[in-house]
PDB file of all heavy atoms in Angstrom:
ATOM      1  N   ILE A  94       4.330   0.736 -39.552  1.00 93.00           N
ATOM      2  CA  ILE A  94       3.618   1.402 -40.626  1.00 93.00           C
ATOM      3  C   ILE A  94       3.961   0.636 -41.927  1.00 93.00           C
ATOM      4  O   ILE A  94       5.125   0.640 -42.354  1.00 93.00           O
ATOM      5  CB  ILE A  94       4.004   2.858 -40.725  1.00 93.00           C
ATOM      6  CG1 ILE A  94       3.835   3.554 -39.364  1.00 93.00           C
ATOM      7  CG2 ILE A  94       3.184   3.571 -41.792  1.00 93.00           C
ATOM      8  CD1 ILE A  94       2.444   3.614 -38.881  1.00 93.00           C
ATOM      9  N   VAL A 152       0.550   6.031  -2.767  1.00 80.00           N
ATOM     10  CA  VAL A 152      -0.599   6.930  -2.711  1.00 80.00           C
ATOM     11  C   VAL A 152      -1.382   6.915  -4.013  1.00 80.00           C
ATOM     12  O   VAL A 152      -2.580   6.728  -4.014  1.00 80.00           O
ATOM     13  CB  VAL A 152      -0.143   8.366  -2.378  1.00 80.00           C
ATOM     14  CG1 VAL A 152      -1.330   9.330  -2.434  1.00 80.00           C
ATOM     15  CG2 VAL A 152       0.503   8.430  -1.003  1.00 80.00           C
ATOM     16  N   ASN A 249      -5.947   0.805 -20.001  1.00 96.00           N
ATOM     17  CA  ASN A 249      -5.785   0.938 -21.439  1.00 96.00           C
ATOM     18  C   ASN A 249      -6.568   2.187 -21.909  1.00 96.00           C
ATOM     19  O   ASN A 249      -7.452   2.662 -21.185  1.00 96.00           O
ATOM     20  CB  ASN A 249      -6.266  -0.297 -22.192  1.00 96.00           C
ATOM     21  CG  ASN A 249      -5.566  -0.418 -23.540  1.00 96.00           C
ATOM     22  OD1 ASN A 249      -4.941   0.520 -24.024  1.00 96.00           O
ATOM     23  ND2 ASN A 249      -5.680  -1.576 -24.146  1.00 96.00           N
ATOM     24  N   VAL A 277      11.361  -4.331   1.014  1.00 52.00           N
ATOM     25  CA  VAL A 277      10.474  -3.451   1.778  1.00 52.00           C
ATOM     26  C   VAL A 277       9.089  -3.391   1.161  1.00 52.00           C
ATOM     27  O   VAL A 277       8.096  -3.578   1.857  1.00 52.00           O
ATOM     28  CB  VAL A 277      11.105  -2.022   1.851  1.00 52.00           C
ATOM     29  CG1 VAL A 277      10.165  -1.092   2.575  1.00 52.00           C
ATOM     30  CG2 VAL A 277      12.438  -2.074   2.534  1.00 52.00           C
ATOM     31  N   PHE A 305      -4.553  14.523  15.211  1.00 87.00           N
ATOM     32  CA  PHE A 305      -3.127  14.651  15.571  1.00 87.00           C
ATOM     33  C   PHE A 305      -2.261  14.024  14.477  1.00 87.00           C
ATOM     34  O   PHE A 305      -1.196  14.545  14.136  1.00 87.00           O
ATOM     35  CB  PHE A 305      -2.922  13.974  16.906  1.00 87.00           C
ATOM     36  CG  PHE A 305      -1.518  14.140  17.439  1.00 87.00           C
ATOM     37  CD1 PHE A 305      -1.155  15.315  18.088  1.00 87.00           C
ATOM     38  CD2 PHE A 305      -0.557  13.174  17.300  1.00 87.00           C
ATOM     39  CE1 PHE A 305       0.099  15.530  18.574  1.00 87.00           C
ATOM     40  CE2 PHE A 305       0.710  13.365  17.780  1.00 87.00           C
ATOM     41  CZ  PHE A 305       1.042  14.534  18.419  1.00 87.00           C
ATOM     42  N   GLY A 353     -21.423  11.454  17.098  1.00 85.00           N
ATOM     43  CA  GLY A 353     -22.093  11.643  15.819  1.00 85.00           C
ATOM     44  C   GLY A 353     -21.178  12.096  14.705  1.00 85.00           C
ATOM     45  O   GLY A 353     -21.374  11.754  13.542  1.00 85.00           O
ATOM     46  N   LEU A 436      -8.017   9.724   3.989  1.00 86.00           N
ATOM     47  CA  LEU A 436      -6.761  10.098   4.658  1.00 86.00           C
ATOM     48  C   LEU A 436      -5.691  10.498   3.641  1.00 86.00           C
ATOM     49  O   LEU A 436      -4.918  11.442   3.871  1.00 86.00           O
ATOM     50  CB  LEU A 436      -6.270   8.912   5.490  1.00 86.00           C
ATOM     51  CG  LEU A 436      -5.023   9.098   6.334  1.00 86.00           C
ATOM     52  CD1 LEU A 436      -5.275  10.160   7.381  1.00 86.00           C
ATOM     53  CD2 LEU A 436      -4.579   7.796   6.982  1.00 86.00           C
ATOM     54  N   VAL A 439      -6.364  14.049   2.593  1.00 87.00           N
ATOM     55  CA  VAL A 439      -5.985  15.025   3.595  1.00 87.00           C
ATOM     56  C   VAL A 439      -4.494  15.244   3.614  1.00 87.00           C
ATOM     57  O   VAL A 439      -3.982  16.396   3.739  1.00 87.00           O
ATOM     58  CB  VAL A 439      -6.479  14.579   4.990  1.00 87.00           C
ATOM     59  CG1 VAL A 439      -5.950  15.491   6.081  1.00 87.00           C
ATOM     60  CG2 VAL A 439      -7.975  14.525   5.038  1.00 87.00           C
ATOM     61  N   LEU A 522      -3.311   0.684  56.480  1.00 70.00           N
ATOM     62  CA  LEU A 522      -1.887   0.342  56.471  1.00 70.00           C
ATOM     63  C   LEU A 522      -1.475  -0.417  57.719  1.00 70.00           C
ATOM     64  O   LEU A 522      -0.694  -1.354  57.684  1.00 70.00           O
ATOM     65  CB  LEU A 522      -1.050   1.622  56.328  1.00 70.00           C
ATOM     66  CG  LEU A 522      -1.160   2.350  54.974  1.00 70.00           C
ATOM     67  CD1 LEU A 522      -0.359   3.661  55.009  1.00 70.00           C
ATOM     68  CD2 LEU A 522      -0.641   1.442  53.861  1.00 70.00           C
TER      69      LEU A 522
END
Side-chain angles (χ1 to χ4, degrees):
I94 308 295
V152 175
N249 205 346
V277 178
F305 187 80
L436 185 63
V439 174
L522 292 176

